[in-house]
């Protein structure tokens, strides 16, 4: 398996993975919207390729913190998709780790995700709300632990608080339901 930066030639393949992984068009539409959204830049856009076929995709897009975290470099991981036939084989983990490494190399200090509470903690993500880092829209209290953050600069968490503001394409209440 090869993890690499996506190219324009990969768009149809990665959108097919998004549609298959999520059994619909919502995430594929989000990817297209983010790729055309200047407020999302810089984007980390990675694919996993196996035998010449795209089997996974992940995006990280720019975010900022309004509050005491102003000036902290942040990003949002969304979406992460793996083709159904490749799920459970480590593709998603490899994409997440590669994306986090790329973000760290670019000086990103905090990575946010709204995702599965049993999946993302394995990469070091922890609930963000209890750390004073609020999602762009309220998260249902029943699943508030799904709003998570990972620090790439040790010691940063606990020193910043505020509201996370994402790329314009993600700033819609319906995107913040887990």
């Amino acid at each position: 398996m090869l993890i690499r930066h996506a190219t324009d030639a990969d768009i149809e393949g990665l959108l097919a993975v998004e549609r298959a992984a999520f059994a619909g068009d919502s995430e594929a539409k989000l990817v297209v919207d983010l790729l055309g959204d200047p407020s999302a830049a810089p984007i980390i856009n990675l694919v996993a390729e196996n035998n010449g076929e795209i089997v996974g995709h992940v995006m990280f897009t720019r975010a900022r913190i309004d509050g005491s975290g102003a000036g902290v470099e942040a990003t949002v991981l969304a979406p992460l998709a793996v083709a159904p036939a490749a799920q459970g084989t480590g593709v998603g983990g490899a994409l997440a780790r590669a994306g986090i490494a790329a973000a760290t190399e670019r000086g990103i200090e905090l990575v946010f995700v709204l995702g599965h509470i049993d999946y993302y903690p394995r990469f070091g993500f922890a609930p963000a709300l209890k750390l004073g880092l609020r999602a762009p829209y309220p998260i249902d209290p029943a699943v508030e632990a799904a709003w998570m953050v990972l620090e790439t600069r040790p010691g940063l968490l606990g020193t910043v608080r505020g509201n996370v503001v994402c790329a314009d394409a993600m700033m819609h209440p319906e995107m913040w339901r887990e």
Side-chain angles (χ1 to χ4, degrees):
M1 178 178 57
L2 171 67
I3 305 290
R4 61 177 176 75
H5 290 276
T7 67
D8 289 345
D10 297 321
I11 299 300
E12 288 307 313
L14 67 85
L15 292 177
V17 168
E18 293 289 343
R19 289 182 189 104
F22 291 102
D25 285 327
S26 296
E27 283 74 13
K29 182 181 178 332
L30 174 61
V31 168
V32 170
D33 290 348
L34 286 168
L35 288 171
D37 182 350
S39 71
I43 294 173
I44 298 170
N45 191 26
L46 304 176
V47 292
E49 187 177 21
N50 191 13
N51 295 323
E53 180 182 351
I54 295 174
V55 296
H57 173 246
V58 69
M59 285 185 87
F60 294 74
T61 55
R62 186 172 187 81
R64 72 175 196 276
I65 302 169
D66 284 349
S68 67
V72 171
E73 293 292 328
T75 191
V76 174
L77 184 170
L80 170 63
V82 177
Q87 290 177 3
T89 65
V91 172
L95 282 165
R97 283 188 292 281
I100 292 165
T104 302
E105 288 172 15
R106 291 185 182 185
I108 302 296
E109 299 164 291
L110 295 175
V111 180
F112 292 93
V113 68
L114 178 62
H116 198 281
I117 61 173
D118 293 329
Y119 185 74
Y120 289 97
R122 71 182 72 180
F123 306 108
F125 284 90
L129 285 175
K130 64 171 96 174
L131 295 167
L133 295 162
R134 293 175 297 284
Y137 291 92
I139 304 293
D140 180 343
V143 294
E144 68 182 23
W147 174 239
M148 294 176 262
V149 62
L150 167 76
E151 65 180 353
T152 63
R153 189 178 91 195
L156 185 60
L157 287 178
T159 67
V160 298
R161 302 174 78 72
N163 296 318
V164 176
V165 179
C166 302
D168 294 343
M170 295 181 82
M171 292 299 292
H172 305 284
E174 64 274 9
M175 313 245 7
W176 297 94
R177 297 187 185 108
E178 179 58 20

